[in-house]
Amino acid sequence: MSPLPEEVLTDILSRLPVTTLLQFRCVSVSWRDLIDSSDFFHLHLNRSIETRTNRSLILRQDNRLSSLEFDSLYGSAVIDAVQINHHPLWCQDYGTHVWGSCDGLLCMSNTLDTLVLWNPSTRRSRRLPYASIEFQNLSRYYESRVYGFGYDRVSHDYKVVRIVVLKGIDDGCFDFEVKVYCVRSNSWHRAKKFPRYPNLQRAGGVLAGGVLHWVVTTEPEAFNPGLIIGFDLGREEFKLVPQPVYSDGNFFMDLQSLGGCLSLICNYYLDRVDIWVMKEYGVNESWSKLISIVQPGVIGPFQYAMPIAYSQSGEEILLEQDTRRFLWYNLEREAIKNVRMRSLRGFSQVEMWVGSLIPLTDGSEIDPKKQQEQEEKNIYVHVFIFLSYQQDSCIMACKESLYDLLICIAIALSSHRVISCQRASSWCYKLTGRDSSGALLDSYFQFGYGKLAMTGQESSLISKQSALVQGML
């Protein structure tokens, strides 16, 4: 029997899921070379996106990540979310946050702010290098960070955008720092400053039209629709994105990517939710109201509803309601169908991703155990640098020895529930070789919660330092 022509074989293989393709690499050298080629990577990815196949959901529940095959949500059978124990940031002590997905790659970070790119289909990952925060008098600020991840179609490179929000602890002043990571160069660089809006929604940037989007507000009021700010990945600059004309601006605003288009969710609390779609990116007139769900209506009472993705036929939309259930909403009949799940508890995040073979070249593979050990050492380096700027007597006294310094840090971390007291003791032992459990417990009750031997001023001081340490992490 004569072999299939290469173009026919390529067409057939490009319709298969990634797990099958990884197995087919073992068939022959020629099949392996075909499947590993850059042209095939992109052919397979584009076909999956166009046909809405090879899709899955990532669910974050507490410190755990679980996955669901998207096609399993169509049927009437009861389905289970499968817990993921092999991702590169997996650790029972630290939570994991997914900041976004693009072309089958996920951008994730943990409590220690370790950042990775991960392809769940191939289980390949890349740990991003450390990027310092370049501000003077950093100790005066409370710090928070948001990330965005997407593909730059100008330079043909994947990029991670980090926005650091710095707010004064006492005076209420604020500032921003923006850095961009490029996969090809494996390095960070400074970008243009973020516009001076005091309130930035702490969520991953929503990718649409080669632009990452966040919601910002000028006022802290709850029912403030706010503005949509976009970061163009090609030009690396911010811009305001036009919004539709609303009949009522008294709503919570959220963003989502729906079918590759920017979607705007207007949640009129306990009243209704309107979902808009910008069909042609950057054109204000292309905003179209996709659906409006009035309470109680077909869903019943709800606090919010978030669109996740279109069905394969495009006739339905998967909705997430109140972080407790999924619903199919039929666009034509305006009817809903509940997705039956057995093991779904309250989840805090849902991310859609498409299976792909896109590689993370030039990146080192991550050993989770070795990574955890390294992070446990690095955390003290960062905290030591941070504390070195402090001139308070109760902190300076702890700098006389590494052991005493670690006790001080452990108090700060454990008192804010970042780590357990037992875990802190284990860390001290690894770094000093000394059993610190007794000393840590004594110090914990004396200087952590009880503060028996401190004056009111010293007690306030150590609490402030602990808060600063927690803000840094």
Side-chain angles (χ1 to χ4, degrees), residues 9-16 21 40 43-44 47-48:
L9 177 62
T10 300
D11 183 73
I12 294 174
L13 293 179
S14 67
R15 302 171 186 272
L16 300 177
L21 291 173
F40 185 81
L43 173 64
H44 179 267
R47 173 155 282 167
S48 297

Side-chain angles (χ1 to χ4, degrees), residues 12 25 63 72 79 97 183 205 257 266 285 292 297 332 359-360 395 402 424 442 455-456 460 470:
I12 294 174
R25 292 177 72 253
N63 288 349
S72 68
I79 58 176
H97 190 92
V183 168
S257 179
C266 305
E285 293 75 17
S292 182
E332 182 178 353
L360 288 164
I395 296 297
L402 173 63
D442 292 342
T455 65
S460 174
Q470 171 67 358

Side-chain angles (χ1 to χ4, degrees), residues 273-293:
V273 61
D274 293 343
I275 299 177
W276 297 75
V277 174
M278 181 182 275
K279 295 183 178 180
E280 185 177 351
Y281 186 79
V283 179
N284 193 25
E285 293 75 17
S286 70
W287 279 111
S288 173
K289 187 184 291 186
L290 186 65
I291 57 176
S292 182
I293 305 174

Side-chain angles (χ1 to χ4, degrees), residues 275-339:
I275 299 177
W276 297 75
V277 174
M278 181 182 275
K279 295 183 178 180
E280 185 177 351
Y281 186 79
V283 179
N284 193 25
E285 293 75 17
S286 70
W287 279 111
S288 173
K289 187 184 291 186
L290 186 65
I291 57 176
S292 182
I293 305 174
V294 180
Q295 297 202 46
V298 294
I299 293 181
F302 62 89
Q303 294 186 9
Y304 83 94
M306 177 73 72
I308 304 299
Y310 289 104
S311 64
Q312 187 171 6
S313 66
E315 298 175 352
E316 297 176 302
I317 289 181
L318 183 68
L319 298 176
E320 169 209 342
Q321 180 200 336
D322 300 335
T323 67
R324 66 183 181 88
R325 67 169 177 164
F326 292 119
L327 305 166
W328 282 111
Y329 183 89
N330 188 287
L331 295 173
E332 182 178 353
R333 295 187 288 110
E334 299 183 354
I336 64 107
K337 181 175 66 174
N338 190 39
V339 176

Side-chain angles (χ1 to χ4, degrees), residues 223 252 267-272 295-296 301-304:
F223 290 98
F252 292 106
N267 184 16
Y268 298 86
Y269 185 65
L270 299 180
D271 182 18
R272 73 181 191 277
Q295 297 202 46
F302 62 89
Q303 294 186 9
Y304 83 94

Side-chain angles (χ1 to χ4, degrees), residues 38-103:
S38 176
D39 290 341
F40 185 81
F41 290 162
H42 293 94
L43 173 64
H44 179 267
L45 173 64
N46 292 334
R47 173 155 282 167
S48 297
I49 294 174
E50 291 171 1
T51 59
R52 298 192 180 115
T53 55
N54 297 323
R55 296 182 295 174
S56 297
L57 298 180
I58 293 286
L59 310 179
R60 181 163 67 92
Q61 301 165 279
D62 299 325
N63 288 349
R64 303 189 311 276
L65 294 181
S66 302
S67 67
L68 275 172
E69 288 190 9
F70 197 82
D71 290 347
S72 68
L73 302 175
Y74 293 127
S76 58
V78 179
I79 58 176
D80 287 313
V82 179
Q83 186 170 339
I84 302 174
N85 294 325
H86 57 263
H87 69 81
L89 292 180
W90 184 87
C91 178
Q92 61 182 357
D93 294 317
Y94 310 134
T96 302
H97 190 92
V98 180
W99 292 101
S101 67
C102 179
D103 295 348

